[in-house]
Amino acid sequence: MTANLTKQTDFDAIIIGGGACGLMCAVQAGFLGKRTLVLEKNDKVGAKILISGGGRCNYTNLYASAQQFISDNEHFCKSTLSQWTVDDTVSFFETYGIIGKEKTLGQLFPESDNARDVVKVFTSLCADLGQEIWCDAEVKGIEQVDNGFIVSLERNGRTENLSVPKVVIASGGLPIPKMGATDFGLRIAKKFGLKINDTAPALVPLTITGKDQPWYEQLSGNSIFCRVWNDRISFEENILFTHWGLSGPAILQISSYWRPGEYIYIDLLPNQSIAELILQEREANGKKMLLAYLANLFTRKFAEALSDKLPVDKNLASLNKTDLESINSLIHEFKVKPAGDKGYDKAEVMRGGVSTDELSSKTLEVKKIPGMYYGGECVDVTGWLGGYNFQWAWASGFVIAQGL
Ligand SMILES: Cc1cc2nc3c(=O)[nH]c(=O)nc-3n(C[C@H](O)[C@H](O)[C@H](O)COP(=O)(O)OP(=O)(O)OC[C@H]3O[C@@H](n4cnc5c(N)ncnc54)[C@H](O)[C@@H]3O)c2cc1C
């Protein structure tokens, strides 16, 4: 009979989700003398922190600003990001023993290269500050009552109903379901009539099917520094050919801006002109075969793969204007129409989510439901690859804590 009784708790808030946002929120609330309970569905907290950045956790980006976040309202994240800045992230972790080292493009990782150290900061601080964490506790629902909320959860095979004045929904997005990702945040938003912006996998590899697929497959494993663009954005980083399509940082970045049916464009030799390079080379070495020249510029495998698209068996001296034009357009404007993406199993984040229209940009409180807050990946704020998503998660956790 205990199953359906509601227990009045003395917590100031219940935080649903022991991920980046929820853990930061619990710690910051603790600093302010507030007591919180973190409910985590998995048997341990911080599962995504542990696998992030290949187990090394790219925990922020030195250049983070509102420009690297995608949202229906591009201004929404500004207040949160200014209340908890990159410097705040860096000094917070430094205070608790994590020194950052920049790998590339402002991406900061712990010097130890160990994401466990990041999670340990939060579990130690929660213990020191008396913030409770219950693992294996899956929240099933939230009811709004006169003095707050009733949170229903399942723990040890039993249903428990906890009454609390405030709730924080930090249950993350849909990527990697096998690691505990749920649609809880979206389900609750729907139940309370909050607008949800279309969700889709983002920072995700793109697939190629049909007659073009074997071409990509033969190049599997080849990585090339490129500029990848569409009509919205452009990124200069590596792309990686795989047996099912394209991956690598530049592809993950553009995937967040790609919609099914659209093309993406790839400059395989950014900031140089292949036509000019060939004209220079043929002055000195006109007998050189185009194949050998391209193999030198790229890889042999890549040059060979171009044999069905370019006259690679001609020598440089015999290339005519039309040849040079087709080389130029293939190298500098390689056109790709992905069939789709690898889905939530391979995506790093979810794009879309709870509409920012529903939240106060200053506090992240749901405008029409006082005492309910949304943070982290549930919200329609999606960062680029490179530590931006954690910066948003830490910052939103901090901001919510100020209001509890
Ligand atoms: C493979 C991979 C690598 C990544 N690497 C990076 C990186 O290096 N840098 C970066 O900035 N970002 C990275 N990200 C993105 C980053 O992990 C997320 O943006 C971030 O974790 C979001 O934080 P969050 O707190 O909103 O959600 P999460 O960290 O996902 O936490 C949500 C938590 O809520 C729990 N939960 C869900 N539903 C319930 C429920 N009903 N009841 C109780 N608990 C529930 C989940 O189990 C989870 O622990 C990576 C993502 C992936 C998948």
Side-chain angles (χ1 to χ4, degrees), residues 10-15 17-18 21-40 45 92 121-135 168 397-398 400-402 404:
D10 58 2
F11 297 108
D12 293 298
I14 283 180
I15 298 170
C21 173
L23 291 171
M24 180 60 96
C25 186
V27 163
Q28 296 295 338
F31 290 153
L32 297 169
K34 304 278 176 181
R35 280 202 73 223
T36 63
L37 166 65
V38 176
L39 296 174
E40 170 53 53
V45 292
F92 170 82
V121 166
F122 292 106
T123 48
S124 304
L125 278 170
C126 281
D128 292 350
L129 294 161
Q131 303 298 68
E132 273 192 49
I133 298 176
W134 295 359
C135 288
V168 177
F398 169 85
I400 294 171
Q402 310 311 300
L404 298 181

Side-chain angles (χ1 to χ4, degrees), residues 75-96:
H75 303 292
F76 180 83
C77 63
K78 288 180 181 168
S79 168
T80 297
L81 295 175
S82 67
Q83 290 181 65
W84 179 268
T85 64
V86 173
D87 284 349
D88 291 323
T89 299
V90 172
S91 58
F92 170 82
F93 284 110
E94 270 179 13
T95 304
Y96 299 103

Side-chain angles (χ1 to χ4, degrees), residues 140 218 303 313 365:
K140 295 291 186 182
Q218 68 178 312
D313 48 357
E365 191 170 21

